[in-house]
Amino acid sequence: MKKFFIQTFGCQMNVYDGQRIAAMLKSRGLTETHDVADADIIILNTCAVRAKATDKVFSALGRIRRAKKADALFGIVGCVARESGADAFRRIPELNFVLGPQSYHKLPDILESPETKLLNIDLGGLEKFDEMPQMERSPAVAYIPIQEGCDHCCTYCIVPYTRGREVSRNPLDVMRDVEHAATTGAVEICFLGQNVNGYKYTDKNGVTHRLSELIAGAAKLDTVKRIRFTSSYPTEMTDDLIDMFRTEPKLLPFLNMPIQSGSPDVLRRMNRPYSLDLYINIIDKLKAARPDIQISSDFIVGFPGETDNDFAQTMDITDKIKYINSYSFKYSPRPHTAAAVMKDQIPENIKAERLAALDARLNEIQREFNESCVGRTLSCLCEGPDKTGRHMVYRTPYMQQCIVATCDNAPTIANIKITAANKASLRGEIVD
Ligand code: SAH
Ligand code: F3S
């Protein structure tokens, strides 16, 4: 029996794409192996968002080239495939296929004609979601893509180039996936998209469907206990969506809504044209709808032209908003983006200093929030055992990790009394 090896880098959308590719190969009779040397087909599912991510892919390709069986088929899918195109074949001549994020459903073609080099980095369609076989069983958390691509065109971001313009899926297809997930094991539904709250589908009768409607549809299913969505663009937080936090208890009180920078000048050059007042006003509305809602953000430090004063404004905004869990990155110039050719690129040592200062502050705020949870009882979702096997890992409604001593038949959803906290996680005991 033929075996496949797949390694996924990057965002949640990639994790989802990786699961669909694995399901497709299994439906064709292949089995999965975690040993590259044993595989007949090797797939790297790649991320291009920062230069480091792309470099990681090419160094993994170098290692695999030496370790693989001589006749194994070997290739890349995802954003690096789209970023590099035919150039990937020049850099690694042994590659058999290079398939972009919207053409990985063409992967079976390489199984049928292994002697040809397969290159497809076309954009523009979401057929892949409907052409590929469904996963047989859903994990407890089902990621359901509802839109792909992004029209915001932030000047630093390669995603609009690699994933293309925004396209939203037909809500009937989305709800079919939600129902399939809910009947095969999903307890939590996470709607996914690069600009997920920009989801907008106008059907043949001229009726426009929004994310709030998908949330309401998923909430009607009894087995679905928790709903969330990621990643959101601030100015697409429409009132109907904010209202869902008031009316739908299954929607978790947690939202990733990246601000990127606290400096209006930097935001303008990033092509993120919202004012800080507007951003704060959206958070105030969210808090009015759900007083306990918590926000997380992504940050970029060292964007071209960022001054000490700009950076100080980023530090200030973290104090004002009290983000409980964030990702922060050094700006990385990417091909096909406007910021890569801007003047005043910031030296690496300054980027590193700013990142360390921001991370220290974000960690402190996260620890404060975690500590404020001690003594509370929270309804949490079980993700499975930790590496030692001695504990179970649960997720709180705010997406914190909560570690619980292993017990027999750990419930999928449990009320957990939080007994201790540190920067990274909580500890607790199941109370029923
Ligand atoms: N809305 C998207 C965000 C894509 S990239 C989604 O989650 O699907 C994820 C994060 O990477 C961005 O929010 C941004 O903070 C960071 N990022 C994007 N391009 C970057 C670059 N060139 N350098 C550093 N960080 C970057
Ligand atoms: Fe990238 Fe900005 Fe869209 S970060 S994914 S272009 S909102």
Side-chain angles (χ1 to χ4, degrees), residues 11 49-50 156-159 193-195 231 258 260 298-300 329-334:
C11 67
V49 80
R50 282 167 291 278
Y156 53 80
C157 187
I158 196 173
V159 169
Q194 269 86 33
N195 179 31
S231 177
Q260 308 295 355
D298 298 353
F299 293 94
I300 295 178
F329 311 101
K330 287 187 281 186
Y331 167 70
S332 166
R334 305 305 293 127

Side-chain angles (χ1 to χ4, degrees), residues 16-17 20 126-132 145 148 169:
Y16 174 85
D17 288 341
R20 292 297 292 264
L126 294 184
E127 316 85 80
K128 63 176 184 186
F129 293 131
D130 305 311
E131 275 187 22
M132 308 251 302
E148 190 162 350
R169 292 178 72 197

Side-chain angles (χ1 to χ4, degrees), residues 27-67:
S27 78
R28 294 178 158 253
L30 282 83
T31 54
E32 184 163 6
T33 172
H34 298 289
D35 178 5
V36 175
D38 194 31
D40 303 287
I41 176 162
I42 298 160
I43 303 141
L44 293 193
N45 181 19
T46 63
C47 171
V49 80
R50 282 167 291 278
K52 227 192 220 163
T54 299
D55 295 345
K56 239 196 232 169
V57 170
F58 280 98
S59 56
L61 284 172
R63 276 196 308 277
I64 290 171
R65 168 155 74 163
R66 289 187 293 276

Side-chain angles (χ1 to χ4, degrees), residues 305-335:
E306 185 189 68
T307 61
D308 285 342
N309 186 42
D310 290 323
F311 178 64
Q313 289 176 286
T314 296
M315 294 291 276
D316 287 349
I317 201 84
T318 63
D319 283 332
K320 212 173 264 157
I321 313 254
K322 303 272 184 222
Y323 295 105
I324 61 154
N325 166 349
S326 294
Y327 298 93
S328 34
F329 311 101
K330 287 187 281 186
Y331 167 70
S332 166
R334 305 305 293 127

